[in-house]
Amino acid sequence: MGFRSICMKESCFHCGDQVIKAIVFEDKTFCCTGCKTVYEIFSESGLTSYYEINNAPGATPNQAKEKFDFLSNETIVDQLLEFRDGNLQIVSLYIPHIHCSSCIWILENLHKLHRGVRVSQVNFPKKTVRITFDDRQLSLKELAELLARVGYEPYISLNDTEKAKKQVDHSILYKLGVAGFCFGNVMFLSLPEYFEKQEFWLEQYKWVFRWLMFAFSLPVVFYVARDYFISAYKGLRARFLNIDVPLALGIVVLFLRSTLEIIFDWGSGFFDSLTGLLFFLTLGKFFQHKTYSFLSFERDYKSYFPVGVTRITSQGHEESIHVQDIAKGDRLLIRNQELIPVDSMLVKGQGQIDYSFVTGESQPVEKTLGDKVYAGGKQVAGMIEVEVLKSVSQSYLTKLWSNEVFSGSRDRGFTRLIDSISQYFTIVLLLIAFSAMAYWMPIDVSTAINVFTAVLIIACPCALAMSTPFTLGNLLRIFGRKKFYLKNANVIEQLARADSIIFDKTGTITSSNKSRLTYQGEELTPEEETLLKNTIRGSNHPLSRALYELLEEHEILTLDQYHERVGKGIQSRHQQQSIKVGSADFVGQDPLKSDLQTAVHVSLNDEYKGRYVFESQYREGVTALFEGLAPEYHLAILSGDNAGEKKRLKQILPPHTQMLFNQKPENKLEYIRQLQEEGRKVIMVGDGLNDAGALMQSDVGIAVSENVNVFSPACDGILDASRLSSLHDFIKASKAGVSIIKVSIVLSFLYNLVGLGFAITANLSPVVAAILMPLSSISIIGFTTLCTNFVGKKI
């Protein structure tokens, strides 16, 4: 295929810019060789659907090849990478040009442009793309050049990335200042027009005043209102009528009408209304941003997960601390199946790290002493000790937990409903505005313009759109303060819909910290007890943790072998001694010979030694919790233990509570699946590690934390063990939140109907409409915040 240059004025097929000297290729016109090259790349890679989603969605690519030479420096690359293990690397890049659905589509199909890209995910609001790539096929420098070549040049700052992200955008303050200054001056210059009496009006200065008002309106229209015009243009180019289209149209109509009035001396125009409109719109936007920033801050920096990690002191003692207390240089013990909370260096043990939480690939990676291990990896073979390389990034763990990969396809009811309403809102609004203007035009042109503008301004779905995120967002913050941490706001909707709640027993409704322990069997020698304690030291099972805490202190051994079978037990070897710890059948004891008591059995060198019998201590408030839930929910206990506690459970739980014992992880998962097939919405409450499959299968998976690292992508929420008795209150608060959203939607519709009634009948000026529009949004935010705070006080 050839191409030719022709001289004509039309828009570029790729970027939409006006063409001066066109390049035609395959019957398509391009403004430059760069845009044509990008089209060729997309065409060769089978990505021409990019142009079908939106019209001319691209950007003219930059050609500066040397611009990214600094990415050849390994020190700089290490600072920019989020994750680096072997040949797999992950980086998040800020792409300023991201603006439409085509941008998302092409950036999430980068793997089709280059085989070195594994996965790419776009965060549209933040204009970032998170890319996983293989550095054997594609270096970071080549990745940046690829993005620039297709018109998505990344902005990379060599300053501290965290500080760069926290820089505050002051542009809205500047716009507010400009709009306020111009509005005040226009009102002052308009003062003689309001009186129109001879003693106040100097006819000879009329033109000066009017043209000064025109001059003051220019920065307001072309600077303060710029975002509305850009958003409306992008929406129209994407063939979508967003809410900024009617606002931009109203501003243009007011400005053009006012300008024509002073040119032809028809009157003084509406410059006071125009500047006042934009001042109050900007003021409303400023308050909305302040409120949103406050809620975001609360979510990102105050809602720490109750994730316990074990720190080894300089004296060799073990202590449990929260993740936010981790400091650089600390030595941490990471047990089997525990998550690594922070970038660290392996200093003891053999690492088998599963990075599926970070990369989506579940193949464990071997690590040896001195290797770097990354936050988000999970140790899957025994315990290791690591030295912390930098302080914990809570926001990074939040980002991993909220990754769409682990969210599945769960319904976002209200969000989807409001998106649908907003889609048709603008079309209906424009029809009403033009109809009202057509009605008033024969009566009075000035009134018709005011009515048209007031209708476009007063009716706004902003309040409607804000009701859901602000209600759920504030509940999310309140729950966090009450030690119940949710993955995202959508989980609250799922909690409100649930009709079945399934509980694990051990470590969930029982407390491992308060268990009473007795040993039955052949007495263990000090050496055998040392081996036992070092074996269970690497396990996070509630019974293992309880037994570990109750045994006397022993020297720390380095085990030669370690293997844990979930739901069964642990097997390890040290020199010539082998040990099995777990259920009766796992250690080779006939389960039928064992009575129905909760116990951990021990065998050494295939010889049965005895068992540690636990008398379970149930958490405070469990009986009241179940009694409160019983009238509304299907309740069940699924336990991996034997039925030894069944008689006692029947005494403390409501009579219709279903109890199933000897349940393996796959049995729990299948039970939940059967309930879901019956149409039930299921909440699973478990310990986060042994119940991972059931937590993932359920509609809402809640992990109960008791100084144990239960952070996992499988769960939707983490509940501090001390707040288990408040679970019913959290669910009731979720239901109340849904009711608040419904009331907010009704109030938003009523506001729009009343406002439109006043505007259509010419009883509402554009300036008053501009004051009321942001006030409606702020009032909805205030209503939802007050209501959710009131609900939160009941938890």
Side-chain angles (χ1 to χ4, degrees), residues 55 550 727:
N55 185 36
L550 292 169
L727 179 62

Side-chain angles (χ1 to χ4, degrees), residues 184-202:
N185 279 281
V186 169
M187 288 299 292
F188 177 74
L189 293 166
S190 300
L191 207 58
E193 297 279 356
Y194 294 135
F195 295 98
E196 290 189 356
K197 291 187 178 180
Q198 192 62 40
E199 60 266 31
F200 285 102
W201 182 243
L202 298 175

Side-chain angles (χ1 to χ4, degrees), residues 312-329:
I312 300 174
T313 65
S314 54
Q315 291 80 30
H317 300 297
E318 296 174 11
E319 59 180 1
S320 182
I321 61 170
H322 280 183
V323 286
Q324 65 264 34
D325 297 325
I326 297 173
K328 183 179 178 180

Side-chain angles (χ1 to χ4, degrees), residues 215-234:
F216 278 117
S217 72
L218 291 176
V220 177
V221 172
F222 293 102
Y223 171 61
V224 178
R226 182 178 60 183
D227 289 344
Y228 296 111
F229 295 134
I230 292 171
S231 175
Y233 168 72
K234 287 179 177 177

Side-chain angles (χ1 to χ4, degrees), residues 558-696:
T558 301
L559 300 174
D560 299 322
Q561 290 180 8
Y562 179 96
H563 180 65
E564 182 171 3
R565 294 180 65 184
V566 176
K568 292 184 177 295
I570 314 164
Q571 183 174 3
S572 75
R573 174 178 290 277
H574 177 67
Q575 296 177 352
Q576 303 303 314
Q577 292 270 52
S578 66
I579 188 171
K580 287 184 178 180
V581 186
S583 62
D585 59 340
F586 180 74
V587 301
Q589 179 77 349
D590 186 352
L592 297 177
K593 293 181 180 179
S594 175
D595 57 24
L596 296 177
Q597 290 180 300
T598 300
V600 172
H601 298 261
V602 181
S603 72
L604 279 148
N605 299 318
D606 295 326
E607 180 185 340
Y608 185 74
K609 288 289 185 179
R611 61 180 183 168
Y612 289 89
V613 179
F614 292 82
E615 184 182 337
S616 298
Q617 297 296 307
Y618 291 92
R619 299 190 191 278
E620 291 182 13
V622 165
T623 301
L625 171 64
F626 274 73
E627 287 176 351
L629 292 169
E632 300 177 61
Y633 297 91
H634 167 74
L635 300 177
I637 298 284
L638 301 184
S639 176
D641 297 334
N642 57 45
E645 291 284 318
K646 187 172 183 177
K647 184 177 179 181
R648 191 175 170 200
L649 281 169
K650 281 187 173 183
Q651 294 173 347
I652 64 174
L653 298 183
H656 298 295
T657 304
Q658 189 174 4
M659 300 178 197
L660 298 174
F661 297 92
N662 298 305
Q663 297 292 296
K664 297 177 181 177
E666 55 269 26
N667 299 137
K668 296 179 182 181
L669 189 151
E670 186 57 36
Y671 180 82
I672 291 171
R673 184 182 287 128
Q674 286 175 3
L675 287 178
Q676 290 171 329
E677 288 173 356
E678 294 171 8
R680 291 186 176 274
K681 302 292 183 183
V682 183
I683 298 173
M684 172 68 196
V685 186
D687 64 17
L689 295 168
N690 303 292
D691 301 319
L695 290 170
M696 183 71 84

